[in-house]
Structure formats: structure tokens, C-alpha cells
Amino acid sequence: MTRMVGGLRYGCGPDANARIRQEAQMVDDTPRSTPAVRSTRQKAAISAALDELEAFVTAQELHELLHGRGEQVGLATVYRCLQALADANKVDVLRTAGGDTAYRRCSQGHHHHLVCRACGRAVEVDGPGVERWADTTAAAHGFTDVSHTLEIFGTCAHCASS
């Protein structure tokens, strides 16, 4: 059985109503200048998994997590969905020490991350001192209209005590 919400078709299952509400909210929050992305069961599963995670995850890790839950989502679909979410500023992206790209659903607005090297847990932090330093350094070198990203890697308290 399928259900139409906001012009999108959804499959019905045990948690279909929750997924419908979640996806409808995501569609409503999308700026009108952003082209609509067709919603699918696979994209809803990816989005739900990202909402539950505190750590940054690679596409491969997310794919393995979804398969462990019994979700039938292809790795290429995971990559495409994560790229679309990144393009729409719905997830933050960082490069791991190993050069992999990792993703995490984050709050809106400018922020930085503390990332545990051991478990991958990430904490969002504000950095007013970093903002002042970046602006001052850029101005000293004649740069304007600057932007930056900052991730600080270390070991979280839980991993340090283990």
C-alpha cells in the first residue's frame, strides 16, 4: 500500500507514519530555490540513521549499519544521498585522518567539532576566539570574505578512561 503526502509517494509499514512526518518536515524546510529531491524508502532510512548517530560516519559505515538493520540500500544510493544532503547543507562533511569523507547531521549555523579519534563521537562547539583569530589573520594578509572549517581531533573522556 502507498500513501501520497505533499505529492510524494510513501510505502506503508510499521513506522511509516513517523517516516512520513519526518520526510514531510524535511521537504517543508527545504528552501524553494533548492530543487526537490524525490523521496524514497532508502533515503528515509539513510536520513533516520543519520538522525540517531552522534559520530561522523563514512558512506561505507552507514551502508553497513543500514544492512545490519535489514534495510536494502545500495552503497551507490548511500553515496548519492549523502552528497545531496551535503549539497543542501543538511549534513556536515569532514575528511578523516585516513582521507575518507565522513558525514554527520548537525545543527544549523556556523560551528566547529571536537571529534574522538577512537570512537568517532563528535561534539559541536562554538569558537568565538577562533572566529576572531580567523578574521584578524585574514585581514593581516589582505583577505576578505573569508570562511573556514575547524575540526579538533582528540580522545573523548569515555575512550580515555577505557
Side-chain angles (χ1 to χ4, degrees), residues 34-46:
T34 303
V37 176
R38 189 171 66 90
S39 201
T40 65
R41 176 188 55 77
Q42 292 91 347
K43 290 176 186 172
I46 291 165

Side-chain angles (χ1 to χ4, degrees), residues 64-143:
E64 289 173 16
L65 173 76
L66 291 166
H67 271 269
R69 293 179 175 182
E71 295 286 350
Q72 298 299 313
V73 181
L75 182 57
T77 300
V78 173
Y79 273 106
R80 281 192 302 272
C81 185
L82 288 172
Q83 185 59 57
L85 289 169
D87 291 345
N89 293 318
K90 299 288 185 182
V91 294
D92 279 351
V93 181
L94 64 80
R95 291 265 186 222
T96 66
D100 293 322
T101 303
Y103 305 85
R104 178 176 182 259
R105 177 94 65 198
C106 289
S107 64
Q108 297 299 314
H110 185 73
H111 60 273
H112 307 286
H113 298 106
L114 294 170
V115 183
C116 179
R117 282 189 199 103
C119 70
R121 179 174 170 259
V123 177
E124 292 181 24
V125 294
D126 291 325
V130 171
E131 307 307 322
R132 286 189 298 275
W133 172 83
D135 291 342
T136 302
T137 302
H141 293 278
F143 281 71

Side-chain angles (χ1 to χ4, degrees), residues 9-60:
R9 186 177 305 267
Y10 293 88
C12 291
D15 58 353
N17 288 336
R19 284 185 181 160
I20 289 169
R21 283 191 298 276
Q22 179 183 16
E23 288 297 312
Q25 181 65 39
M26 288 176 61
V27 170
D28 289 344
D29 290 343
T30 303
R32 297 299 174 217
S33 61
T34 303
V37 176
R38 189 171 66 90
S39 201
T40 65
R41 176 188 55 77
Q42 292 91 347
K43 290 176 186 172
I46 291 165
S47 184
L50 286 169
D51 288 341
E52 298 168 13
L53 298 171
E54 286 188 12
F56 278 88
V57 292
T58 65
Q60 293 89 347

